Amino acid sequence: MSTLFSNLTSDSTVYLIQQTLIYAVPLMIVALAGIYAERSGIINLALEGIMIFGAFIGVLFVRLVQQWGWFEAVYQAKNWVGLQSFALLTMLVSAALGALFSLLLAFAAINLKADQTIGGTALNLLAPALVLFFVRLIANQNTLQMASGDSAGWFMLKKAMFGYGRLDKPGFLFETFINKVYPATYICILVFVIMSVILYKTRFGLRLRSCGENPQAADSLGINVFKMRYAGVCISGALAGMGGFVYALTTTNCTANGDVAGFGFLALAVMIFGNWKPLGVAGAALLFGLFKCIAAGYGSLFILNGAGEKVHFLKELNINPNFYRLLPYLITLVVLAFTSKSSRAPKAEGIPYDKGSR
């Protein structure tokens, strides 16, 4: 296997790294969303639904802003800094509305003490129905698209923006991490790092985690368990909503149709595989992102043989293409089967807090 990957051409290597990041980063940020909710004591099975809602809100905001003409001059001038500020603004809007949508789960789980699994499942059923209803209302079709252009034209960095010609080859690092990439991916990585530090290195994070481990002890120390759990679920909703838009931006050409290809459920698997810890989640997301990349582009990967000819080694195995599409989800099941016994969820996860109980 090491010999095989050492023979991968530069183009294939660039493709593997870029596409792996595109698939892995939304998984990372949404899995971290699950960690925030569950570390506070609330099971958030609604990550899929919140992603769907966040993707819809993001695409709708992009569409409306294009129609209003706010960034048209910036787009015509090819001012990539201005366009990235547009992308950042959209991510913030998706995060805000994702947090608002997650309040439905927080209210049901915290105030009404409803079953959190059923509450999350209900939101997963509500989100695609709600999104498809509004998409049909707005666009009179099943898919909401940008008003003009595509996501690559508006939000992707290209070497021409940095003064390079079409035939220029700036170098491996530039080609891999700057040319034909979405800065939204790097913004998500930065958010992942910041929110991980907040969760494990700040007083707020310690209090949040204590509410998921022993809420009675936390309450005895003056920590408002209800407020901390609301904060955990709202942060979870914000991160999942942002992840939904970034998924739509980088994977589906900034469109929304009430579907995120099961990424919300995959994020739950990544969270469990990562043992509710950010570093474990990052590693698991990269693993699943790699297999998702292979599933999406197995026909494009090639090596050079002794004669310098391209050999599309995965395509020439003559395996049914559906196997490659199944591979990420199959790997998820296999990994969970072997790691779930050693995983330790927060002790008070899923248990409604009652001040009178001790």
Side-chain angles (χ1 to χ4, degrees):
M1 182 63 72
S2 61
T3 303
L4 175 65
F5 279 95
S6 65
N7 288 332
L8 281 172
T9 66
S10 178
D11 289 344
S12 291
T13 305
V14 168
Y15 174 84
L16 266 178
I17 294 174
Q18 287 185 344
Q19 293 301 309
T20 297
L21 285 177
I22 282 177
Y23 290 117
V25 167
L27 283 176
M28 284 170 53
I29 201 76
V30 178
L32 184 64
I35 290 176
Y36 261 90
E38 301 202 5
R39 284 292 184 185
S40 72
I42 303 296
I43 298 175
N44 190 355
L45 291 183
L47 294 177
E48 177 89 358
I50 300 172
M51 277 190 76
I52 290 171
F53 189 72
F56 165 71
I57 291 297
V59 175
L60 177 61
F61 184 76
V62 169
R63 181 186 177 96
L64 291 175
V65 168
Q66 285 182 326
Q67 290 174 343
W68 296 335
W70 288 0
F71 283 85
E72 185 62 32
V74 175
Y75 174 71
Q76 295 299 334
K78 299 300 178 184
N79 182 347
W80 66 272
V81 176
L83 292 176
Q84 296 317 312
S85 67
F86 180 19
L88 178 59
L89 178 62
T90 308
M91 291 170 68
L92 292 175
V93 170
S94 296
L97 272 293
L100 188 64
F101 188 68
S102 70
L103 285 177
L104 293 171
L105 174 64
F107 179 75
I110 299 170
N111 295 83
L112 303 181
K113 294 181 171 57
D115 187 289
Q116 297 168 18
T117 303
I118 294 175
T121 303
L123 290 187
N124 284 335
L125 295 173
L126 172 65
L130 195 65
V131 165
L132 282 174
F133 170 75
F134 281 115
V135 168
R136 291 285 295 178
L137 203 64
I138 296 167
N140 198 28
Q141 58 186 10
N142 292 329
T143 302
L144 186 68
Q145 300 173 327
M146 298 171 64
S148 63
D150 56 18
S151 62
W154 278 77
F155 303 113
M156 179 184 279
L157 294 182
K158 296 173 183 174
K159 61 184 180 183
M161 298 175 178
F162 300 90
Y164 291 102
R166 187 170 60 87
L167 300 178
D168 292 339
K169 294 188 179 294
F172 177 77
L173 290 177
F174 187 95
E175 288 286 350
T176 305
F177 298 107
I178 298 178
N179 186 35
K180 295 183 179 179
V181 301
Y182 293 94
T185 299
Y186 299 133
I187 293 173
C188 269
I189 293 175
L190 180 62
V191 170
F192 180 87
V193 172
I194 292 172
M195 298 308 294
S196 299
V197 171
I198 289 174
L199 185 60
Y200 279 92
K201 299 296 181 182
T202 64
R203 179 183 296 178
F204 169 80
L206 178 61
R207 291 182 173 185
L208 185 81
R209 287 183 287 120
S210 69
C211 292
E213 293 293 337
N214 194 330
Q216 283 79 19
D219 194 9
S220 69
L221 295 173
I223 299 172
N224 190 319
V225 176
F226 294 140
K227 285 185 178 180
M228 294 308 295
R229 288 190 168 182
Y230 258 102
V233 175
C234 284
I235 293 172
S236 177
L239 292 175
M242 180 187 297
F245 170 67
V246 172
Y247 168 83
L249 176 69
T250 59
T251 308
T252 65
N253 194 27
C254 204
T255 62
N257 60 359
D259 181 36
V260 290
F263 262 58
F265 296 115
L266 264 178
L268 284 171
V270 166
M271 178 187 68
I272 296 170
F273 179 32
N275 203 19
W276 288 267
K277 295 179 180 178
L279 282 179
V281 159
L286 288 171
L287 174 66
F288 296 142
L290 174 63
F291 282 103
K292 191 74 176 175
C293 167
I294 292 173
Y298 69 94
S300 302
L301 297 174
F302 61 87
I303 60 175
L304 297 178
N305 60 16
E309 299 170 335
K310 293 181 180 180
V311 178
H312 293 83
F313 54 98
L314 291 178
K315 188 175 181 180
E316 292 183 5
L317 291 176
N318 292 323
I319 298 176
N320 191 309
N322 290 319
F323 172 77
Y324 291 111
R325 299 188 185 101
L326 177 66
L327 200 55
Y329 306 99
L330 185 63
I331 293 295
T332 301
L333 291 175
V334 171
V335 167
L336 286 179
F338 283 99
T339 62
S340 58
K341 287 186 178 180
S342 60
S343 297
R344 193 191 75 81
K347 289 181 181 178
E349 177 190 48
I351 303 173
Y353 176 60
D354 182 2
K355 279 195 172 188
S357 65
R358 283 291 182 267

